[in-house]
Amino acid sequence: MSSLFEPFRAGALKLANRIAMAPLTRNRSPGAVPGPHAVDYYRQRASAGLLITEATAISHQGQGYADVPGLYAPEQLAAWKQVTDAVHAAGGCIVTQMWHVGRISHTSLQPGGAAPVAPSAITAKTKTVLIENGVPSFVQTSAPRALETAELPGIVADYVRAAKAAVGEAGFDGVEIHAANGYLIDQFFKSGSNARTDAYGGSIDNRARFGLEVTAAVVAAIGGGRVGIRLSPVTPANDVVDGESQALFEHVLRGLAPLGLAYLHVIEGATGGARELPDRPFDYAAAKAAYRQAGGQGAWMVNNGYDGATAALAVEQGADLVAFGRPYIGNPDLVERLKAGAPLAESDRSTWYGGGAKGYTDYPSLNPHH
Ligand code: 8OZ
């Protein structure tokens, strides 16, 4: 039996196994408040060693899609508390993924209909999801405005406020900082979206600065043992690109090493797509070695397209945790199925984003009492 199914400790997080449910955007939180079925949805999946919530906005400005949840208003936090209570009662561990989308937004989703904010005024060639009358549509993101240097401490403070509220009012075991997939922090990291001439643009050192400052501030507020971070060194998601990914992310990882993080969540290749990108090579073992050599002790969580066999192999080869995304939509009891070598259910793509219980909480477990 693979150690995939044995308990593991990541910082302050005590996990029943090494399997994580990756964050999955489901657009079922009207008014940014987790909807009526969120409690069942997460409780059904509580046998994962770690549940990572869908990406959740730290502020109204940080929101970029219709009906995604937030961490910035009392009713949002109260709804999350119902979720964390249910997961804890089922023996699970749950962190929330803290999200600021930066330029991946639309004026109709921003406070006062304003332009989304970004490191630079460069529009992403990508779409976001709006929902009208329950019907999702994919629309081009709006042109962003560049953030003033003086605005950055306010955004760091939004992350800190959200992290404190998450582990305080909302009862989460910790937080994951979303620094992947072309959202605000990743927009700062990568040269294609960052043309700044202040201390937050230009050199690798400067482009890494914002993400490292956010992480250090969150760690100072709630303790590194309750903080993870998600990185996607080479994903083309949301139109991000960088010409020196290896040097950039080894620098980021060396910067994270002294912070005592619970885990590093690394998306290998294109998010939800190919693990190998011929035009975007990346050596993950070298990146991990750079982190360890700098003293980093966080759990190394791998993600992207794993199945039971490749996950077991990854753990044998030194990964600490393996995250599964899409398989968790249709398989609430994924841990039990992988353990039994049982077949996995496919999920219905038409109900991934938006809607109600259908395609959300109606996927059965093999064993009815899960
Ligand atoms: C799919 C649809 C909308 C958002 C990510 C938060 O890629 C997302 C996301 C994924 O990290």
Side-chain angles (χ1 to χ4, degrees):
M1 176 76 49
S2 145
S3 61
L4 200 49
F5 304 104
E6 286 166 13
F8 188 83
R9 176 135 187 176
L13 309 174
K14 292 180 195 150
L15 314 180
N17 54 64
R18 297 178 187 247
I19 293 168
M21 175 179 165
L24 293 163
T25 291
R26 304 304 308 274
N27 307 78
R28 283 166 167 84
S29 302
V33 179
H37 306 293
V39 171
D40 282 343
Y41 171 71
Y42 284 105
R43 179 186 17 230
Q44 288 169 351
R45 289 158 180 75
S47 65
L50 181 65
L51 295 178
I52 307 165
T53 70
E54 62 208 273
T56 302
I58 58 163
S59 61
H60 188 171
Q61 182 196 70
Q63 179 182 341
Y65 298 79
D67 297 352
V68 294
L71 287 168
Y72 54 90
E75 57 276 25
Q76 298 162 6
L77 299 167
W80 280 124
K81 182 69 163 63
Q82 308 284 312
V83 170
T84 62
D85 281 348
V87 168
H88 291 148
C93 182
I94 183 167
V95 299
T96 185
Q97 194 193 42
M98 297 201 302
W99 197 21
H100 191 308
V101 295
R103 66 181 182 165
I104 308 303
S105 190
H106 189 267
T107 52
S108 69
L109 299 167
Q110 287 290 304
V117 299
S120 299
I122 303 170
T123 305
K125 291 183 196 66
T126 194
K127 293 181 173 179
T128 182
V129 181
L130 302 182
I131 298 179
E132 258 179 282
N133 304 318
V135 183
S137 63
F138 294 82
V139 299
Q140 168 62 46
T141 54
S142 303
R145 72 167 176 87
L147 285 159
E148 304 287 341
T149 310
E151 288 178 275
L152 300 182
I155 298 181
V156 174
D158 287 339
Y159 278 97
V160 167
R161 193 178 308 111
K164 285 184 179 164
V167 299
E169 285 107 286
F172 284 105
D173 297 294
V175 302
E176 173 174 298
I177 295 167
H178 195 347
N181 296 348
Y183 298 111
L184 183 64
I185 293 172
D186 206 25
Q187 289 159 30
F188 271 92
F189 285 159
K190 294 173 182 172
S191 58
S193 42
N194 184 344
R196 298 178 73 89
T197 53
D198 64 1
Y200 294 86
S203 66
I204 282 176
D205 197 28
N206 282 358
R207 283 182 277 123
R209 190 179 313 282
F210 179 68
L212 293 176
E213 283 183 359
V214 166
T215 311
V218 169
V219 165
I222 67 168
R226 293 203 280 179
V227 179
I229 187 168
R230 195 177 209 209
L231 305 171
S232 56
V234 294
T235 193
N238 290 317
D239 197 23
V240 277
V241 63
D242 193 274
E244 340 165 72
S245 303
Q246 194 74 37
L248 169 62
F249 279 88
E250 289 184 12
H251 175 84
V252 168
L253 285 159
R254 282 193 298 269
L256 295 171
L259 299 178
L261 298 180
Y263 70 89
L264 292 292
H265 184 174
V266 181
I267 299 170
E268 299 158 330
T271 311
R275 292 178 48 81
E276 302 283 346
L277 303 173
D279 58 333
R280 296 183 180 213
F282 195 83
D283 183 341
Y284 296 92
K288 182 179 175 186
Y291 176 67
R292 295 283 183 240
Q293 275 157 25
Q297 294 181 355
W300 193 263
M301 180 190 293
V302 296
N303 173 274
N304 207 10
Y306 284 91
D307 62 20
T310 54
L313 190 63
V315 168
E316 265 169 48
Q317 293 174 346
D320 297 308
L321 301 168
V322 183
F324 292 80
R326 284 178 194 169
Y328 255 115
I329 297 178
N331 299 275
D333 57 342
L334 184 68
V335 170
E336 290 75 16
R337 290 192 198 216
L338 294 179
K339 207 168 177 176
L344 301 188
E346 289 298 320
S347 63
D348 173 6
R349 211 174 247 267
S350 72
T351 52
W352 282 1
Y353 307 120
K358 185 169 179 291
Y360 190 49
T361 50
D362 59 352
Y363 290 106
S365 292
L366 290 178
N367 179 340
H369 59 241
H370 279 111

